[in-house]
Amino acid sequence: MLFFAFALGLWVEHAYAPSRAAAWRRAWRARAAWWWQQNPGSRTMAWAWWSLAVVLPGLISVWLASIHGLLTFVWLGLCVVACVGWQTANEALHQQREAWASRQDAAADQLWLDAAAPMHALSLGPVTALVLGWALGLGPGLMVAYRLAGSLAAQSVSQPGSALAEVAGQAWRVLDYLPSRVTVLLWGAMGHFGGAVSGWQVMRDHLAHDNTPALAAALSGALQAPTGADAQHDPLAHAAQLMQAESLLARSMVCWLALLALVTLLG
């Protein structure tokens, strides 16, 4: 059931990517905005608010998925559409490709930071969380919590100094520990393995809440693209590299489909 619901949800999202103007997207953003307006007096209260924003929806999704039959199948597919943004990440890469085509003086390293974030946070990370959650008997619960936690962690950059921002960053570091490493392995398997792993190891910071710099280095290493002083500041070269990133994302998602199909057949 996991493979078929995942494949159906992925196809729906890829063919009809949810618009930012959709009602549930607006409700999601309004809920996040309300959450950031809270001012807990202690870290304990901040963790309580974080649990309400992330853990509670995950538990609700686990409960709905526990009802066997067609409801489980449909609910899992809906969760995939809401949380796994393959087409959304592709659109982000496409928009970046158009923007980078006219940027003459931008650093090439920023290119990979802009590309790695949506590829992992919107697409590959949630898939890893879904598979791990299903293996642990949580259904789509871990994926829902992962996606909500990632959204709050991304918004915490604009909320410096608050207890909520600190909690969101720490929680994201824990939840993203394994998915970020699985993403690097996928990029290595679908690209250049040594380059992806070495890039991750060089840039990884054990104390940082954000793995994006290490993921960016792993992405450029997987595509064997020059970085630092060796990188070209050429808009055409940047556009070509982003096209390679789109191809790597597609190969990584197909790899997940193939692995889940194999597990389904063996089961």
Side-chain angles (χ1 to χ4, degrees):
M1 181 180 292
L2 172 62
F3 169 74
F4 293 108
F6 174 68
L8 177 61
L10 205 62
W11 178 83
V12 171
E13 193 278 335
H14 199 62
Y16 308 100
S19 170
R20 285 183 58 84
W24 65 274
R25 292 278 195 187
R26 295 198 304 272
W28 191 332
R29 292 194 296 271
R31 177 176 170 274
W34 172 84
W35 189 81
W36 283 113
Q37 292 174 2
Q38 309 310 310
N39 186 24
S42 65
R43 284 178 54 82
T44 302
M45 286 301 299
W47 277 111
W49 279 109
W50 183 87
S51 299
L52 287 174
V54 175
V55 178
L56 183 60
L59 292 176
I60 293 174
S61 66
V62 172
W63 175 74
L64 288 173
S66 66
I67 305 174
H68 297 288
L70 183 61
L71 180 59
T72 299
F73 181 84
V74 172
W75 176 246
L76 179 57
L78 290 174
C79 288
V80 170
V81 173
C83 298
V84 181
W86 182 6
Q87 181 61 23
T88 307
N90 273 332
E91 291 176 356
L93 291 174
H94 182 72
Q95 292 173 0
Q96 291 170 14
R97 181 149 51 91
E98 292 181 344
W100 276 87
S102 60
R103 295 173 67 174
Q104 299 288 342
D105 56 348
D109 290 344
Q110 185 64 39
L111 172 80
W112 301 113
L113 289 172
D114 293 344
M119 290 175 67
H120 171 66
L122 299 181
S123 185
L124 297 175
V127 177
T128 303
L130 171 64
V131 176
L132 290 175
W134 200 268
L136 295 173
L138 300 175
L142 186 59
M143 175 180 64
V144 172
Y146 177 89
R147 190 71 176 84
L148 291 171
S151 177
L152 292 178
Q155 296 167 4
S156 67
V157 178
S158 60
Q159 306 287 334
S162 70
L164 290 175
E166 184 179 352
V167 165
Q170 290 180 349
W172 176 244
R173 180 175 59 183
V174 174
L175 285 176
D176 194 44
Y177 181 87
L178 190 56
S180 61
R181 285 152 177 80
V182 172
T183 293
V184 173
L185 292 177
L186 272 175
W187 284 343
M190 297 296 102
H192 187 270
F193 189 84
V197 174
S198 62
W200 167 268
Q201 291 175 339
V202 168
M203 294 299 296
R204 183 183 56 181
D205 184 355
H206 296 283
L207 299 178
H209 293 165
D210 187 7
N211 288 318
T212 304
L215 287 168
L219 176 59
S220 63
L223 295 175
Q224 294 186 287
T227 57
D230 298 328
Q232 301 180 51
H233 297 285
D234 181 2
L236 294 179
H238 295 333
Q241 289 168 347
L242 284 173
M243 289 185 67
Q244 294 177 9
E246 291 182 42
S247 176
L248 180 62
L249 175 61
R251 295 197 302 271
S252 300
M253 294 301 293
V254 170
C255 178
W256 265 125
L257 281 169
L259 289 174
L260 289 177
L262 179 62
V263 171
T264 301
L265 290 174
L266 293 177

